[in-house]
Amino acid sequence: MTILDRRQFTFLTAAAVSTLTIGMPPLLADEVKGLELLAPSAPGSGYDQLARSIQAVLQEKKLASGVQVQNVAGGGGTVGLSQFITSRKRAPSILVFGFALVGGIITTKSAVNLDQVVPLARLMSEANVIVVPESSDIKTLADLVAKLKANPQAVSWAGGSIGGIDHVMVGLIAKAVGVDPTKVNYVVHAGGGEVLASTLGGHATVGISGFEEFRSQIEAGKLRALAISSGERTPGVNVPTLKEGGVDLAIMNWRGLAVHASTSEEEKKSLAEMIAAMVKTEEWKAVLQKRGWVDTYLPPAEFASFLKQEQVRVATALKDVGLTQ
């Protein structure tokens, strides 16, 4: 599969050239058929949302057909990773993963790791948001910090997988306000859907997850957003940053894609071209805007380099907050 190079069309007349759409994404010679996307988490999670967004855009733009999403939750994403690595892969197959899986591998001392897959692309980053039920007596981030300082165990945090972005962020918040991170009462959930249910049901003091996973309930007034983790306010989102709330911290989640180690060079090239074409479409840009995701696309080689550095950075962060030795 190749991307058509518009330079091949220089022989066209000026009139014909003018009919070409400026800024069109590269076109694929043939669509990828029977693609499987594995999200190592429960339905409703950030991985699941990304997988289903990819599925919709690829099929709408006819970059792929018969795209299926499979959810395999557990172990901070390592159960899904293990299945992806050890199962006989029907080609083509792509793993959706990110910060949470990097941390999950470390904290669970997983027998499988990301050196056993091949990075394909980093796609986006997302800010986390801290929420409480509308009925909570916690009105601001300062109120939450006061309760945390008074009795860390009395503040239960509903978040995603162990060692993931939610878990690390809670530990870093505790450290930033002078609370021992190992004293934090963090309750692990399989995905954003479970975090939402736990928070709305009053089973946890605070919920923490990606903004999109809480958006509808925030807009409906059922959840109160205390702070967002980005360095600056997110356009269109009226939620103060952690720094505005008095906590000197900014942290963003990221997610990307990988392929099975047995994937042929030809197929890797085809899949990389498919994703490169997808991220240039107006449909993908609309998904990013709708979900409040930041475009941080990196192609295979650059993503592989980033991933090596990120594994070191996450390991250091986990150690700093007392989640690993």
Side-chain angles (χ1 to χ4, degrees), residues 76 99-108 160-169 186 188 314 318 323-324:
F99 186 111
L101 184 53
V102 175
I105 288 169
I106 298 168
T107 54
T108 63
S161 57
I162 186 170
I165 184 72
D166 306 341
H167 200 175
V168 170
M169 181 173 156
Y186 184 82
V188 174
V314 173
L318 290 170
L323 295 178
T324 58

Side-chain angles (χ1 to χ4, degrees), residues 61-144:
K61 299 305 294 181
K62 301 189 184 308
L63 295 170
S65 61
V67 183
Q68 299 295 319
V69 175
Q70 180 184 10
N71 295 92
V72 182
T78 60
V79 175
L81 175 63
S82 178
Q83 181 169 314
F84 185 81
I85 290 170
T86 60
S87 298
R88 183 186 297 273
K89 294 282 99 180
R90 68 175 184 82
S93 185
I94 291 176
L95 173 72
V96 179
F97 75 105
F99 186 111
L101 184 53
V102 175
I105 288 169
I106 298 168
T107 54
T108 63
K109 299 179 180 178
S110 173
V112 293
N113 60 62
L114 292 171
D115 291 338
Q116 295 170 272
V117 298
V118 180
L120 183 66
R122 188 181 71 184
L123 290 178
M124 44 69 67
S125 296
E126 177 184 29
N128 262 10
V129 65
I130 300 171
V131 299
V132 294
E134 187 277 334
S135 59
S136 173
D137 63 349
I138 299 174
K139 306 298 183 183
T140 66
L141 184 61
D143 293 341
L144 174 60

Side-chain angles (χ1 to χ4, degrees), residues 127-132 139-142 144-145 157 169 173 206-211 214 218 224-230 233-234 237-247 249:
N128 262 10
V129 65
I130 300 171
V131 299
V132 294
K139 306 298 183 183
T140 66
L141 184 61
L144 174 60
V145 169
W157 300 73
M169 181 173 156
I173 289 172
V206 187
I208 182 168
S209 192
F211 179 78
F214 289 140
I218 292 172
R224 180 183 305 117
L226 303 180
I228 199 163
S229 70
S230 51
R233 287 206 181 196
T234 302
V237 177
N238 187 27
V239 180
T241 65
L242 287 168
K243 290 185 178 181
E244 287 180 275
V247 178
L249 175 67

Side-chain angles (χ1 to χ4, degrees), residues 229-302:
S229 70
S230 51
E232 299 179 351
R233 287 206 181 196
T234 302
V237 177
N238 187 27
V239 180
T241 65
L242 287 168
K243 290 185 178 181
E244 287 180 275
V247 178
D248 189 15
L249 175 67
I251 185 170
M252 295 284 282
N253 193 7
W254 60 267
R255 300 186 187 101
L257 308 172
V259 296
H260 196 267
S262 66
T263 306
S264 70
E265 289 301 318
E266 181 180 0
E267 187 172 47
K268 279 188 284 188
K269 184 173 183 290
S270 295
L271 294 173
E273 289 174 345
M274 176 191 73
I275 297 301
M278 181 195 77
V279 299
K280 294 179 181 179
T281 65
E282 291 304 315
E283 288 78 2
W284 179 250
K285 292 174 185 177
V287 166
L288 295 175
Q289 182 175 10
K290 177 183 176 181
R291 294 191 175 276
W293 293 344
V294 179
D295 180 5
T296 52
Y297 169 74
L298 289 177
E302 288 88 338

